[in-house]
Amino acid sequence: MPSKPAGTLYRGREGMWSWVAHRITGVGIFFFLLVHVLDTALVRVSPHAYNEVIGTYKNPVVGLLEVGLVAAILFHAFNGIRLILIDFWAKGPRYQRQLMIGVGVIWVVLFVPFVIRHLTHVFGG
Amino acid sequence: MDVKVKILRYNPEVVDEAEWKTYSVTLQPTDRVLDALHKIKWEQDGTLTFRRSCAHGVCGSDAMRINGRNRLACKTLIKDLNPDKEITVEPIKGLTVLKDLVVDMDPFFEAYRAVMPFLVTSGHEPTRERIQSQADRDRFDDTTKCILCAACTTSCPVFWSDGQYFGPQAIVGAHRFIFDSRDEGTEQRLEILNDKEGVWRCRTTFNCTDACPRGIEVTKAIQEVKRALIFRRV
């Protein structure tokens, strides 16, 4: 086997990149859920400790992370529906590109208003 | 016009590493990448190694990665490749490179053989042909076009990381018989593809559909096999 150079990156189209993005957002959401389950479980330990931990989230850095979280979840959710349609709807594979555009449109429609509202909360006080 | 062609060269007898080499060739916009490779081999560097046979998109020998995408060199016109820039040519991914653009196709053909790509019947052979309605014939028409070039299988990210995966081509080969009303091996083939390295490995990236030089809707064929397995209905 030739060792280096390994060659160029495969130039896949939206199908391949949506798959890459689906994996990355999936792993990201997993780590969020891990932390989320832990901090929510704290309320069973002591409501005071819970309030203290949740209180530390009220800063701009976490506010920006939340923007990323919502972006990832919106993409993962709607691309997930696209993937279900590709596998279960007979015409899905033929219209996968249009479905991808649909995912993008819904993503923008939901994400932009969220960002405006969320960031005014985070930075506007 | 002068075109720069950058080829990933590898000769295990000389060096351990593959390296990029750039060649300058004079071509017509309507020439194909295969013509460029021929010019390089015949006029500049006779050691350049690649497979080709019919040179007209039928034999499926010259699948390679052209500008990052799997294409047949004999079907890719220079004018469609933005010839102002360098054209990159690499061997297809996921199979062992033997020399330059030649890869070891054995694992690919093994996967194809594993799905029994031949007519399976029982009982008496009819004295005349096995009759089939046009509608039944149309169900698998798309997958009869396959020329076994491996462009689809080696464009699949799952196949790159897991060589055990049957790959899009083997599933296309199975699809051609699974949906043939004359064939009786459907159950066996579906069981083979129900394996964990079978159709469920597909992540619907559509690289295979984009790569197929015959325009087969490969992902759609894989999806049809998946649905045949889920609903147990062909």
Side-chain angles (χ1 to χ4, degrees):
Chain A
M1 279 286 279
S3 42
K4 280 176 187 176
T8 62
L9 195 65
Y10 193 88
R11 281 175 54 188
R13 308 181 65 135
E14 59 287 312
M16 179 171 117
W17 295 115
S18 70
W19 166 74
V20 171
H22 201 78
R23 291 227 150 164
I24 292 170
T25 54
V27 171
I29 293 165
F30 168 77
F31 282 112
F32 160 72
L33 285 175
L34 195 73
V35 174
H36 183 58
V37 167
L38 288 177
D39 61 25
T40 308
L42 260 184
V43 79
R44 306 264 306 161
V45 180
S46 113
H48 178 71
Y50 173 81
N51 282 339
E52 214 162 83
V53 169
I54 296 299
T56 61
Y57 294 165
K58 283 182 180 160
N59 67 64
V61 177
V62 178
L64 288 176
L65 283 175
E66 282 165 343
V67 172
L69 176 69
V70 170
I73 287 177
L74 284 178
F75 173 79
H76 200 84
F78 290 108
N79 193 52
I81 293 170
R82 167 177 167 268
L83 294 179
I84 292 168
L85 285 173
I86 287 170
D87 271 340
F88 285 92
W89 177 40
K91 288 180 181 160
R94 195 166 286 174
Y95 293 112
Q96 61 100 4
R97 197 159 293 158
Q98 287 85 337
L99 288 170
M100 191 71 236
I101 295 167
V103 169
V105 169
I106 297 172
W107 188 87
V108 170
V109 165
L110 293 175
F111 184 67
V112 171
F114 162 77
V115 168
I116 295 167
R117 191 169 167 76
H118 179 69
L119 290 186
T120 48
H121 278 301
V122 172
F123 294 106
Chain B
M1 62 197 216
D2 283 333
V3 179
K4 288 221 182 327
V5 184
K6 194 171 130 190
I7 304 174
L8 192 61
R9 301 288 311 268
Y10 170 62
N11 184 351
E13 290 167 9
V14 182
V15 279
D16 292 338
E17 288 187 3
E19 55 176 353
W20 289 101
K21 271 199 179 157
T22 307
Y23 301 88
S24 217
V25 253
T26 308
L27 294 163
Q28 298 292 320
T30 49
D31 276 338
R32 304 153 308 159
V33 172
L34 184 63
D35 296 310
L37 295 177
H38 276 152
K39 276 204 149 184
I40 293 164
K41 186 173 175 71
W42 293 338
E43 294 164 15
Q44 297 182 31
D45 186 348
T47 64
L48 178 67
T49 308
F50 53 91
R51 285 197 183 102
R52 69 101 173 80
S53 185
C54 76
H56 292 83
V58 178
C59 72
S61 303
D62 63 351
M64 47 191 77
R65 206 140 65 90
I66 297 164
N67 279 1
R69 294 192 175 115
N70 283 3
R71 294 286 182 264
L72 289 186
C74 56
K75 280 188 86 170
T76 308
L77 298 183
I78 298 296
K79 69 181 170 74
D80 296 334
L81 287 175
N82 187 13
D84 302 329
K85 282 192 184 168
E86 273 181 338
I87 295 169
T88 63
V89 180
E90 300 155 77
I92 44 182
K93 251 173 110 114
L95 294 166
T96 309
V97 180
L98 299 177
K99 188 179 178 185
D100 292 346
L101 302 172
V102 174
V103 297
D104 177 14
M105 299 280 278
D106 283 353
F108 170 78
F109 288 124
E110 261 166 45
Y112 182 50
R113 282 191 205 101
V115 300
M116 308 194 297
F118 43 79
L119 188 76
V120 177
T121 59
S122 59
H124 290 295
E125 210 171 296
T127 41
R128 300 187 64 185
E129 71 269 27
R130 296 172 197 274
I131 293 167
Q132 183 170 52
S133 73
Q134 187 59 49
D136 279 345
R137 175 64 178 73
D138 289 341
R139 292 194 65 195
F140 62 92
D141 188 63
D142 203 34
T143 42
T144 61
K145 299 178 202 158
C146 180
I147 55 172
L148 294 155
C149 68
C152 59
T153 294
T154 58
S155 75
C156 176
V158 179
F159 183 77
W160 299 335
S161 57
D162 174 11
Q164 295 301 306
Y165 173 42
F166 277 91
Q169 192 287 322
I171 301 169
V172 163
H175 178 283
R176 184 252 169 271
F177 286 98
I178 288 170
F179 293 92
D180 186 337
S181 60
R182 298 164 296 187
D183 185 84
E184 291 167 29
T186 296
E187 278 303 314
Q188 291 176 64
R189 289 197 193 87
L190 285 178
E191 262 332 293
I192 292 165
L193 292 178
N194 201 11
D195 189 82
K196 78 174 170 59
E197 302 292 353
V199 284
W200 309 115
R201 275 259 179 236
C202 171
R203 294 290 180 271
T204 61
T205 69
F206 288 91
N207 277 9
C208 50
T209 306
D210 176 61
C212 181
R214 308 284 297 169
I216 301 172
E217 293 175 275
V218 184
T219 315
K220 185 165 174 283
I222 298 173
Q223 179 242 30
E224 284 172 6
V225 176
K226 282 179 187 167
R227 296 203 317 158
L229 273 168
I230 292 172
F231 302 113
R232 283 289 157 183
R233 192 175 58 219
V234 173

